[in-house]
Structures are given as structure tokens and as C-alpha cells.
Amino acid sequence: MTITLSDQDKSILRIAAYGAVSLVAAAGAAGKPHKIATSGSIALGSATGLIGHVLADYTEGKDLTGTSVAEIADRVLPALTAAMNLLEQQDPAEADNFRSTVLVAVETAQTHQGRPSPVTAEMALKITQALDVARVAVADSGVVPAAAAGQDRPELRKAIEEIVDSGFLGMSLRVRDERGEWAGGAGVAELGGTAKPPVNGHARIGSNTKTFTATLVLQLVAEGKIELDTPAAGYLPEFGLNERITVRMLLQHTSGLFNFTGDDGGDGTMVPGIPVPYGTTAKEWVDNRFRTYRPEELVRLALSKPARFAPGTGWSYSNTNYVLARLLIEKVTGRSLAEEMQERILGPLGLSGTVVPDASPEIPEPHAHFYHRYEEDGEQKTIDITRHNPSWVSTGGDMISTSQDLATFISALLGGRLLPAPLLAEMCTPHPTGIPNMDYGLGVFVQKTDCGGTVITHNGGLAGSAGMMCSTPGGGKTLTAVLNWVDDVDLSVASAFQNAQRRLVNEVFGGEQADPAQPAD
């Protein structure tokens, strides 16, 4: 039987899903988890009228088994995923609305707690993972959603094909705008293969990690646990930091601290830091790519080098700033960065495809492959470096994500879901960098398009892999992408990456204009 959802059906689905999830989330606190969870499961099925039988097979009075709220939530998941499947096929934009509604229900149920309980966090993870699995299953099935029919976006398809031809192996792009959501890919997932990169594949997103990390710091500022204009040395006395370096300067890259992955010597030469996949240390990096670095080790190496300038007197991009930001988060909270990220950002937003790997070399499936080319004994060698230990860059750029998760994150961030409005405004207030049309806030770039519009963005590459993340200041229109390529000691793909980012921003955002210091509600 084929079911076509009307606008009223879609609205009812959202309301029913909100009720079902809210009831399950409240089950533990009420002391009658089975009774309340049973009502929750019935809500989604019975409140949807003629289409209810497609979404759930529960009948009133049917008991639910389970010893925890999270286990009971498992019984509601078939109904939620069935709804997600149906919406993905007929109206992807409404599927996003449905998913957001479910996440809001989870978030609302936790509001009175201040911080999510382990039980509700587990439930949130189960629900969001189930919704994402449903979404990926529909995408992988080859079903063309009705909302996408007739809007193939040939201009975007042409752009990514030409970008791949400029020096990349593959690329997957996702755009969410007034025309809905479009996702597509070009190129190949691995050398010698013919399969395209997975549409929502995982990638090492490099310096997009900085935006996630800055958001965590600013959440702690909002809670009064950190002060932006207080010396960072007061929180991290063990490093002997210059007392003039404030927390704001770390997030803004105005501290002057040496970049531990290598920095400009001021005369056009490069002062090396730790071994990296570029320049003279590339072979050493290849040979030791599974070595574990601790963040304290990276900071101490940076502090052993002369500062670039006096604190607050210049701008210089430095991974050291964000490793210190990680240590600051861990010192203030007493928990690991990964734990804080999961509880404050990844869990509440349902970013089940995003990982804080620390020293793990693994990357979740599905994913494209990343490569490195170097010379040894006069012979060119190309190796697969998809698996490597990313602790060498730490919070300078170690995270893994997908284009879907990046879009959800940047939209939620700039839409005001993660930070109070005054702090979001500070985050997006541009500070001059000396880079044409590209200034920096606190963990984000503020970029001017060729047409004079403004986008909030961050990009990042890490050894053959990269992520792009761009949005209008209010989060209403987003562009996210992941790329894979064969890296080399000369970083020869760098200019092609910059050109790709510029082209896509101008293609998607055109003349968008807004004051980045005043994000939309």
C-alpha cells in the first residue's frame, strides 16, 4: 500500500513524535516507566489516524518490557524510524523538521535537570542514531525523494565535478537552502576504484574541530566557569603562560603563541615543530603515524619556541591555541573533552556521526580513503593513511564527522541553540586577519563573498581528508562538504582547496548579506 502524506499528516507526525519521546523521557522521573512509556508508544501510532498502522503496531494496553528508560525507548524506535523512512522518501525537508522535533523533545525533557542524566543521554543517543540509520538507509537505497525530483541542481553537480577534476579524488556536497536539501558527490572513494564517495561518509574534518571546541569554551563562559578576558594562565598555571594571554586570545588566534605543527619564521622560512605530513618532516610522520602525542607535550614544544608577537598585537593561526582550549575545558570541568563534547553538543544535537578520536586511528564506516605520496630513495610511493593516530594535531583538527552532522551543527550553533545571543554575537564578531575578505571571530571565520555577502565558516584539512562548513549568520542556509585526495609533501592541493571553497561559497550564497555580529533568531 502506498501512502502519500498530506501537510496535515506531516504536522500530526511531528506532534505525535514530540509527545511520544517526551513521555518516554519523563518515564524514569515519574516512577512508572512502563505505564508512561506504553502511553508514549501509543501516542505515535494512534494519533496519526489513517497512517498510524504504518508507523507502529502497538495497541492500547500492550505492556512494554525493559528495566531502564533507554531499553523502553527501544520499543518506540520502530515507529520513529518508520516515520523517518516515509518522510525521507517524500519530503526530505520535512524529515529534517521531524528529526529536529524529536531532538527538541529530548532536550526539553532534560531542561529541568540542568545537565542531561546518563539515562536520558543514552536514550537520546539511541533515538538519534535510529533516525540517522533510517535516513542513510533511504539514501543508500537509491530512492529519489519526491521533493528532490525535478531539482537536480545541475549547477552544484557541475561545480563538484569540476572541483574534483582540479586535483581531488572525490567530494560529497550537501546544501540546505530555500529550495530544500540537496546532496551529491563526484569522483571516487578510493584509488583504483569506481565507486563514488558515500553521500554521508565520515571524514577527518581538520580545523572544523576548532569551532566545536570554541563552542564548548563559550558554553562554560555562559555558565560563569570561565571568563573570556581573564588570563589563561590563571586556569592553566602549570605552563607558565604569558599573563597577558587571555582566553579570548586563544580562541581568536591573537595570543602570538608558536604553532606546534610548524610556523612562519618571519622571513619567509618555516620553523618546524612536530613531524607533519608536509615539508621536510613528511617521511618521519609517515614512519611514526601511529605514535600518540599528549596535548601537554604539544603545548610544551610550542612554548619552547619564541612567540610570534606580543599577546593581542597581531593575528596568527596557531593550533597551540586550541590545544590549550582543550586543556582549559578539561581543567575547569574535571572531565575529558570527549565527554564534554558528547554531553553538551553531540548528544543534544543527535550528531551520531561525529567522533572525538583522541588517539584512536579508527574512522567509522562508511568513509572514503585518504592517501599520502612521498619520495623514498628516489622512488615515488603512495600509501593509504585513512587510519592514523590524529593525536599529533589534537584539538587543532582531530575530529571526524559527516556533511550531515556538520550542517546540523553549524545551523544549530548560528541559530542560537547552543549559545546565548550575546556570546554568539561575540563569536561571530570579526577580528582582522590580514587575509583578504576573511576575518576571524572566536572559532569561526567571517568571510565576504565576491558579491558582498557574509558567511560564517570554518574549513579544515588533515592528511588527505577535509571538511567544509559554511552558513549564513542565522543558520538558515548551509553548505557542508567532505573531500578526499592524495596528499603530498608540498601540500600541492592547498590552492585547489581554497579555490573550491571560494567557488562553492559564491555559488550557494551569492549576494547573501547580514551583520555577522547580529545572528538571526
Side-chain angles (χ1 to χ4, degrees):
M1 177 180 178
T2 301
I3 291 179
T4 301
L5 298 177
S6 67
D7 289 342
Q8 183 179 8
D9 289 333
K10 296 169 188 175
S11 176
I12 290 173
L13 271 178
R14 290 198 305 273
I15 294 168
Y18 189 96
V21 173
S22 296
L23 286 168
V24 173
K32 297 180 179 179
H34 290 141
K35 180 177 178 181
I36 293 177
T38 300
S39 300
S41 69
I42 292 169
L44 189 55
S46 62
T48 51
L50 294 177
I51 62 172
H53 69 281
V54 176
L55 305 179
D57 62 358
Y58 304 127
T59 57
E60 190 163 0
K62 182 177 180 180
D63 194 18
L64 297 178
T65 59
T67 58
S68 72
V69 176
E71 288 175 348
I72 295 168
D74 287 341
R75 303 300 303 274
V76 183
L77 296 185
L80 293 175
T81 55
M84 192 71 173
N85 276 323
L86 201 57
L87 290 168
E88 277 290 339
Q89 293 175 32
Q90 296 191 24
D91 189 342
E94 181 58 32
D96 277 342
N97 291 338
F98 181 83
R99 183 177 186 275
S100 297
T101 297
V102 172
L103 297 183
V104 169
V106 173
E107 187 175 350
T108 301
Q110 298 174 153
T111 300
H112 71 282
Q113 300 173 11
R115 295 166 70 91
S117 70
V119 168
T120 359
E122 183 185 357
M123 184 201 73
L125 184 61
K126 282 176 177 285
I127 289 174
T128 53
Q129 283 179 336
L131 295 184
D132 289 341
V133 166
R135 167 176 280 175
V136 171
V138 173
D140 290 347
S141 71
V143 174
V144 178
Q151 63 138 352
D152 183 47
R153 308 294 292 263
E155 77 283 3
L156 297 179
R157 194 167 295 284
K158 179 182 178 184
I160 60 177
E161 287 171 352
E162 291 179 355
I163 287 169
V164 167
D165 289 342
S166 72
F168 300 92
L169 283 177
M171 177 179 188
S172 296
L173 172 69
R174 185 177 301 272
V175 172
R176 296 177 179 176
D177 59 12
E178 64 281 355
R179 295 173 61 181
E181 177 170 302
W182 183 91
V188 295
E190 55 185 311
L191 278 176
T194 57
K196 288 184 177 182
V199 172
N200 199 42
H202 297 82
R204 299 189 186 278
I205 60 172
S207 286
N208 290 287
T209 304
K210 293 181 173 70
T211 309
F212 284 86
T213 305
T215 302
L216 273 184
V217 172
L218 292 174
Q219 287 181 337
L220 294 169
V221 171
E223 295 170 10
K225 296 176 181 176
I226 293 175
E227 294 185 10
L228 266 179
D229 295 306
T230 292
Y235 300 102
L236 299 168
E238 63 269 32
F239 295 108
L241 294 170
N242 187 316
E243 290 285 344
R244 288 179 292 170
I245 296 175
T246 63
V247 174
R248 182 188 301 274
M249 291 177 189
L250 297 179
L251 301 185
Q252 196 178 61
H253 292 300
T254 53
S255 69
L257 291 172
F258 178 85
N259 183 2
F260 64 81
T261 52
D263 217 335
D264 184 356
D267 57 359
T269 61
M270 179 62 69
V271 179
I274 63 166
V276 293
Y278 321 113
T280 58
T281 62
K283 180 59 168 59
E284 185 179 353
W285 180 88
V286 166
D287 291 342
N288 295 280
R289 63 187 183 277
F290 294 103
R291 171 184 170 178
T292 295
Y293 290 88
R294 296 316 306 155
E296 296 84 357
E297 180 183 359
L298 302 174
V299 169
R300 295 194 186 284
L301 183 148
L303 294 177
S304 71
K305 306 285 186 179
R308 291 289 307 278
F309 47 77
T313 63
W315 186 89
S316 181
Y317 195 83
S318 175
N319 291 314
T320 306
N321 292 318
Y322 276 79
V323 177
L324 282 165
R326 167 189 174 168
L327 293 171
L328 174 60
I329 291 166
E330 294 180 339
K331 176 65 73 71
V332 168
T333 64
R335 287 155 44 100
S336 71
L337 176 81
E339 290 173 314
E340 288 295 314
M341 192 75 74
Q342 179 62 43
E343 185 169 301
R344 293 173 174 272
I345 297 177
L346 306 187
L349 293 183
L351 305 185
S352 58
T354 303
V355 178
V356 180
D358 195 20
S360 171
E362 307 303 331
I363 180 168
E365 296 284 356
H367 60 78
H369 285 253
F370 323 125
Y371 299 89
H372 186 71
R373 182 173 57 244
Y374 63 100
E375 184 176 308
E376 184 177 28
D377 299 328
E379 179 184 353
Q380 287 285 327
K381 293 189 175 183
T382 299
I383 61 170
D384 188 320
I385 55 170
T386 306
R387 292 181 71 258
H388 76 263
N389 185 331
S391 64
W392 63 276
V393 70
S394 188
T395 29
D398 65 351
M399 286 179 67
I400 295 165
S401 192
T402 66
S403 65
Q404 180 176 296
D405 275 11
L406 290 177
T408 299
F409 167 68
I410 194 66
S411 180
L413 172 62
L414 298 179
R417 290 180 58 192
L418 295 176
L419 294 174
L423 280 175
L424 179 59
E426 289 211 52
M427 184 182 213
C428 298
T429 299
H431 179 89
T433 64
I435 304 171
N437 299 317
M438 186 80 82
D439 292 330
Y440 204 83
L442 305 177
V444 294
F445 281 99
V446 182
Q447 180 179 356
K448 290 293 184 183
T449 68
D450 290 352
C451 298
T454 299
V455 295
I456 308 301
T457 180
H458 218 304
N459 302 304
L462 192 74
S465 175
M468 292 183 182
M469 183 173 67
C470 311
S471 176
T472 48
K477 178 186 289 190
T478 62
L479 177 163
T480 54
V482 297
L483 302 94
N484 60 304
W485 69 88
V486 180
D487 219 341
D488 59 29
V489 296
D490 297 320
L491 197 57
S492 52
V493 79
S495 61
F497 183 74
Q498 292 170 359
N499 292 338
Q501 195 265 354
R502 187 179 304 111
R503 173 174 181 174
L504 287 172
V505 163
N506 288 317
E507 184 76 55
V508 172
F509 297 96
E512 293 281 352
Q513 297 194 52
D515 179 0
Q518 301 294 329
D521 293 333

